[in-house]
Amino acid sequence: MAQTPAKIPAALNFIDVDLGVTGMTCTSCSARVERKLNKLDGVEATVNYATESAQVSYDPSKVSPEQLIKTVEDTGYGAFTMASAAAESEEDNAPADSGQSRIDAARDHEAADLKHRVIVSALLSVPVVLVSMIPALQFNNWQWAVLTLVTPIFFWGGSPFHKATWANLKHGSFTMDTLVSLGTSAAYLWSLWALFIGNAGHPGMKMEMHLLPSTSTMDEIYLETVAVVITFLLLGRWFETKAKGQSSEALRKLLDMGAKDAVVLRDGAEVRVPVNQLKLGDVFITRPGEKIATDGEVVEGSSAVDESMLTGESIPVEVTKGSKVTGATLNTSGRLMVKVTRIGADTTLSQMAKLVTDAQSKKAPVQRLVDQISQVFVPVVIVIAIATLIAHLVFTDAGLAPAFTAAVAVLIIACPCALGLATPTALLVGTGRGAQLGLLIKGPEILESTKKVDTIVLDKTGTVTTGTMSVTDVTAINYSETEILEFAAAVESASEHPIAQAIAKATDHEQVTDFQNTAGQGVTGVVRGHEVRVGRPSSTLIDALLHPFQHAQKIGGTPVVVTIDGVDSGIITVRDTVKDTSAEAIRGLKELGLTPILLTGDNEGAAKSVAAEVGIDQVIANVLPHEKVQNVEALQAQGKNVAMVGDGVNDAAALAQADLGLAMGAGTDVAIEASDITLMNNDLRSAVDAIRLSRKTLGTIKGNLFWAFAYNVALIPVAAIGLLNPMLAGIAMAFSSVFVVSNSLRLRGFKARSN
C-alpha cells in the first residue's frame, strides 16, 4: 500500500505511443520484443503478434520514441511510430505511409513473397519426390539433377526459416523454425557429403526400398526430405500470414462513418467546409437524411435522430432546442441547427475508435501449441542427436561415418514434415465449410477462444431481435382494429418519421388531405372525411386505452394514440420484434455450456421482455458503448471467458474486447471487422453452429499436430540406434501428411443446425 502514492505521480507523466513492429514470425517473437522494451527504465509495453503492434507507455524524461524503435531494431525486428486514430481522423488526406498502412503493406508483401516461394518450391519438389521415392524413375546421375532442383529450395525457399532461426539463436531461444532449419540443413549437408565424398554420387546409384539402412555408410541422400519439409511449412506460413489481424479495417471503417463536410453559418451565409475545419462554437445545419457532422447542441429545430450507431436501438430519439446530438448519427426528419461542442479526438466517434484500438491491443495473443511444444522438443532433439553421436563413437566400432549418420538421421526424422499441413489444412477445410454455411472464421487463434468461452453476451437489437420496427398490437374502441390502423396509416404515410413509416407499411390505406405536422406532438390529416390525429396523448386517456398504452411502454414498445374527430379511439404499438429463431438459438448456446447475458442500450423493461421471451435469465440494460466494454471486462475479471454477439458500431469495442467476437452479417462493417467470426445469414442459431464448427476444427488441428509429431517421436529411437532407412523416413513422412489431410477433410461433413 505504501508504494502506490509514489507510483501515481510518475504514471501521470507517462506518454502513450503505438509502434508498428514488422518481422515477427511467431508469438515467441512478440514475447521477446515485449521483454526487451519492458527492460528499459520508465517503459511499460504490450506487444500484440496478431496486430503486429506494440502499445507503449514511457517516461519522456528517461526514454524517447527513437530509443524505443532502436531497442526493437536491435532485437532483430523493424519498428516505427504509428499515427493515432484521432490524428488520422482529423486529416482528410492521411499520408499513404501512415503507421497502419505500413503494417498492412508489410503484411501484404510478406504474403506475396511466401506465395511465390510456395509455388516455386512446390514445382521443384514434385519431380524430386517422385524420382527419390520410385526406383524405376531413377535414371543415370539422377541424384545430381535432384541436387540441382533442391538447392534453390533449401537456400531461397527455406530462407524465412533460416533467418528466423538465426534471430532466435542470437537470443538463446528455440522455436519450430530452429528445428526446421537444423533438420533441413543437416539433411542437405549430409547429402552433399554423401554425393561428393561418399558413394552416393556414382553413376547408376539407386535408392531402393529396404527396411534397414545400407551397409555402406555414405551411399544414400536425404534431399527429398529437404524439399518436402520446406514446401509444406512454407504453405503453412503463407496461410498464417493471410490470417493475421483485421483491426486496421475496423478502425478505418469506423472513422469513415463520420460526415465528411458540414454546412456552417458564417457571417449569416451558409458555407460548406470539411468537418476537420469545424471550430468550437460554430453553428452547422443538418437537413433530413444527412449525418450530424460532430457532437453538439441543438439551437434551433426539431427532428428524430437515428442513434443506432451509438445505442444500437432502432427507435429514433426526438430532439429539440437544447438537446445533445452526436456526430455520425443520422437526422431522419426535421432541419436542425447545431452548435459545435466537441471536435477532433474529443468526439464520441473518436472515443469509440480509441475503445476499439485499446481493446484489440490489450487482447493477449493466443500462445500457439506448436511454439509451446518447440520450447521443449527442439532442445531435447538436439541433446539426443549429440548423445547419439557420442554413444556410437564410444560404444561401437563402426567408425565416425556411421556415428554421424545416426546423429544426422535423428535431426532429420525429428523435423515434422506434416507440421506444415497440420493447422492450415484443417483451418482451410473448416473455414471453407464455414463459408459454405455463412460462417466466416478469421484465423486459428479464434478456434482456441471458442473452446474456452463459458459466457456469451448478446446485443438485443438486430441480434436477438429483427432490428426493424413494426406494428405489434392495435387496441380500438368505437372502430374496428382494421379501421384504426387504416386511418393511422393514411395520415402517417405523409410523415418521414421512422415510427410513422412503420405504421404506414402495416396496411393498405387511402390518401390523406390537409396534412399537418406538429413537432414533438404528432401529425393530423383528413381521411374519409374524418379529422385524424396520430401521436402523443393530448389528454388523460380513458381506462380502456390507458392500460394497453402503459403495457406497451413496459415491454419496450412505442405506443401512439389515434384520435378521430377529437375522440381518442385507439392505441397502436410499434416495437422491435424478436426473431423467430432466437429462442432456439439460446437453447443451443446453453447446450454448449454457455451462460447467455443480454447486454443492451435499450431500457430495462424492453430488455427484460425480450429476455423472458427467448429464455435469457440475466439482463444488463441502459448501457452506452464504453459501458458495454466495461461490462465485458468485468466478466473477464471474474475469471469468465466471454463471447460477444453484436451487429452495431456501438458493439465494435466490446466485440474486440471479448475473448470471442461474433458479428451478425447484416450489421455494420465496423462490427464485422472488429469481430472474430461473422454470421452471414443473420440467424442467431448460426452462432451455435460457428462455435460447434470452430471447436470441431480445433479438435482436428490438435489431432493433426499429434500425428505430425507421433511418427517423429516413434522413429527418433530407431534413428538413434542406427537403424533408420531414409526411404522409411520418407514413407513415414508421406503417411503422416496423408493422414493429416484426410483427417482435415472430415470437416467437410459438418452439418449446420441453422439451415
Side-chain angles (χ1 to χ4, degrees), residues 58 114 127 300 393 416 458:
Y58 69 96
L114 286 170
E300 185 180 309
L393 291 174
L458 301 110

Side-chain angles (χ1 to χ4, degrees), residues 454-455 457 595 597 618 620 629-642 657 659:
D454 51 31
T455 303
V457 175
T595 301
I597 300 173
Q618 191 171 343
I620 305 172
V629 178
Q630 291 170 359
N631 276 279
V632 172
E633 288 176 332
L635 290 168
Q636 291 171 327
Q638 297 172 19
K640 300 184 184 296
N641 284 283
V642 182
Q657 176 62 42
D659 300 288

